[in-house]
Amino acid sequence: MSDTSSMFDIETLRRGIEMRDATAMRGLYAENALMTLVDQRDQPSHPHEISGAAAIGAFLDEICSRDMEHHLDQVVVSADGTHAAYLEQCRYPDGTKVMSTSMLDLRDGRIAAQTLVQAWDEASAGETGMTGATGATKAEHRAFASPDEVRPFEHGRLELVSAGGGMVGRATFEPGWRWSNDVKPLAGTEMCEAPHFHYQTSGTLHIKMRDGTEFDVRAGEVAVIPPGHDAWVVGDEPVEMVDWQGAMHYAEKS
C-alpha cells in the first residue's frame, strides 16, 4: 500500500485557488515555508519574500478576499513527490488578466518553498497582480495626511499611499537615525537591499554603498540608490523624502 500522507494534494490546491478558499490553501504550507515573488515591481535582484506559514496565510487571506476569478491551468508533480509546478490564470471584473507560474519544493506533501513569477496587463485601470499593483490609466490624487499604512521604526516612520500603479512612500528620519541600527533588525539583511528613487524635501542623508562609494543627499535633490547600502542622518535636521521605488516593502518585518 502506498503512503498517501506524503503526497501533495492537488485537489486541495485546485479548490483553494478556484474557490478562493484561503483556509484550504493555508493547509498546504509547511510551518517554516518561504514564498518568493517576482514581478514587474519585485524584480529578480530584490524579490518579495514572505517567511513562515502565518505570514503566508495572511497574504493568502488578502488575495482570496479580492473580487477576481482564479483558474488552475496546469499542475505537474515530480515522480518522487519533492517538487511541483503549476500555472494560474486570474481575471478581474474589469477584464484585467494576471498570469502566474509557481515552482514548489515539497516536504512530506507540504510546500516548503515556493517561487512565484507573475505578470499582468498594464493597460487596465483596475487592481492587478497577486501583490496588488494597480493600473494608471485613470486620474487620481492622494494625500499623505491620510496614508494607507504607517510603518514606525526607531527614529522615524514611513507613510504609504497607493497611487499610479504602485506604492509611494514618505519617509521621515529623525536626527540619530541610521539604517543599520534602526531598520536592519526589521529587514534581516546586512545592508538595505531596497532600491530607491526619491526626492528629498529636508535634511541631509549620507549614503554608503556596498562598494565603498559615499555621498550626501540634500534637500531639493533627487537620488537613485541601488540595493546594497547603509544610510544615516547628518546633523540636527530631520530628513524627509518621497520615494517612488523602494517604499513598498521598506521596514517590513522579515
Side-chain angles (χ1 to χ4, degrees):
M1 181 180 295
S2 62
D3 180 10
T4 59
S5 64
S6 62
M7 295 175 60
F8 182 59
D9 193 338
I10 295 175
E11 289 310 309
T12 296
L13 176 69
R14 186 179 304 279
R15 183 174 74 254
I17 288 175
E18 298 188 348
M19 301 300 293
R20 293 158 52 189
D21 186 342
T23 300
M25 291 292 290
R26 281 171 174 263
L28 293 172
Y29 289 85
E31 188 62 32
N32 61 345
L34 175 66
M35 179 186 288
T36 302
L37 300 103
V38 176
D39 54 31
Q40 289 99 316
R41 293 168 310 166
D42 298 298
Q43 297 178 10
S45 61
H46 47 89
H48 180 35
E49 294 187 343
I50 306 174
S51 180
I56 291 172
F59 171 79
L60 294 171
D61 286 343
E62 196 279 324
I63 295 299
C64 290
S65 71
R66 298 182 187 176
D67 183 15
M68 61 189 299
E69 298 176 1
H70 299 260
H71 180 66
L72 182 61
D73 217 20
Q74 299 177 40
V75 186
V76 178
V77 180
S78 65
D80 62 3
T82 60
H83 296 88
Y86 67 86
L87 176 65
E88 181 180 355
Q89 303 207 43
C90 310
R91 182 184 180 93
Y92 282 86
D94 67 357
T96 297
K97 292 184 178 180
V98 185
M99 180 179 291
S100 68
T101 183
S102 287
M103 178 63 70
L104 311 177
D105 293 340
L106 304 176
R107 184 174 63 246
D108 297 326
R110 296 184 183 274
I111 301 170
Q114 177 178 8
T115 300
L116 187 155
V117 180
Q118 64 177 354
W120 55 79
D121 293 336
E122 293 286 0
S124 171
E127 184 184 64
T128 65
M130 296 288 284
T131 53
T134 58
T137 60
K138 64 179 180 179
E140 58 181 313
H141 61 99
R142 297 297 312 279
F144 282 112
S146 302
D148 295 311
E149 183 181 353
V150 178
R151 294 180 193 155
F153 42 83
E154 290 294 321
H155 296 102
R157 69 185 183 278
L158 177 68
E159 299 157 308
L160 291 160
V161 297
S162 175
M167 300 298 290
V168 183
R170 180 173 69 178
T172 302
F173 305 129
E174 302 294 340
W177 177 87
R178 182 167 183 152
W179 185 91
S180 52
N181 293 333
D182 299 324
V183 182
K184 179 179 177 179
L186 298 172
T189 55
E190 283 303 308
M191 305 193 83
C192 180
E193 298 299 337
H196 302 288
F197 174 36
H198 81 256
Y199 174 70
Q200 195 156 309
T201 57
S202 68
T204 300
L205 187 69
H206 188 79
I207 307 297
K208 183 174 182 179
M209 302 300 301
R210 182 181 284 119
D211 65 5
T213 301
E214 298 188 48
F215 56 92
D216 286 337
V217 185
R218 297 179 174 85
E221 296 182 345
V222 173
V224 178
I225 306 171
H229 58 270
D230 194 6
W232 58 89
V233 173
V234 177
D236 297 326
E237 182 182 2
V239 168
E240 185 174 285
M241 65 175 67
V242 177
D243 188 358
W244 284 272
Q245 187 175 10
M248 184 171 183
H249 303 305
Y250 193 81
E252 283 185 328
K253 292 183 179 181
S254 61

